[in-house]
Amino acid sequence: MSARTKARRRALNLLFSADVRGDDLAVALAAEAKRAASEPERQSSWLYAREIVDGVVDHAGEIDEQITAHSRDWKLERMPAVDRALLRLATWELVFNDEVPTAVAIDEAVELAKELSTEESGAFVHGVLARIARSN
């Protein structure tokens, strides 16, 4: 598994857990940064995970607008929490990170959705992200 794939998983865990618990994402990020500092073997994945979460925090309103506009009658609060976190992560990569190819951002999110969410989540996440990618 590549360092970026590991970083996406770490970012997803942070986004998901903060959402489900109702925690402030910045506070969760600070706690994870403290933990990462004590685990040097995880440093390579931590830097990009932090970049993702910082990006989602910085552009939260725009990201949620993109998801809402392209999710075809699905409200954010009605989506499974894993799907919501994945869509936020991948939307940040698609819209705000020019270093990640569109296909990679979508494929990684779809694979995580298939693995961690509902049976229909892979197709749902793919559809929303494909529409976001086409509009940007």
Side-chain angles (χ1 to χ4, degrees), residues 68-75 78:
T68 300
H70 295 92
S71 63
R72 296 213 172 133
D73 301 323
W74 273 88
K75 294 183 183 209
R78 299 269 331 245

Side-chain angles (χ1 to χ4, degrees), residues 1 21 40-41 51 55 103 107 126:
M1 184 182 307
R21 293 179 183 159
E41 69 279 1
E51 185 179 346
D107 288 347
H126 184 273

Side-chain angles (χ1 to χ4, degrees), residues 52-117:
I52 292 168
V53 176
D54 280 338
V56 170
V57 169
D58 291 346
H59 301 284
E62 296 163 273
I63 289 169
D64 284 356
E65 283 176 24
Q66 287 278 330
I67 296 167
T68 300
H70 295 92
S71 63
R72 296 213 172 133
D73 301 323
W74 273 88
K75 294 183 183 209
L76 271 172
E77 59 274 2
R78 299 269 331 245
M79 293 175 192
V82 173
D83 296 1
R84 191 170 44 243
L86 276 170
L87 287 169
R88 286 173 172 154
L89 182 162
T91 299
W92 175 79
E93 285 191 315
L94 289 171
V95 177
F96 298 102
N97 187 351
D98 294 333
E99 294 176 13
V100 177
T102 298
V104 171
I106 293 172
D107 288 347
E108 291 266 345
V110 169
E111 288 306 310
L112 285 167
K114 287 178 182 177
E115 181 183 339
L116 301 171
S117 196

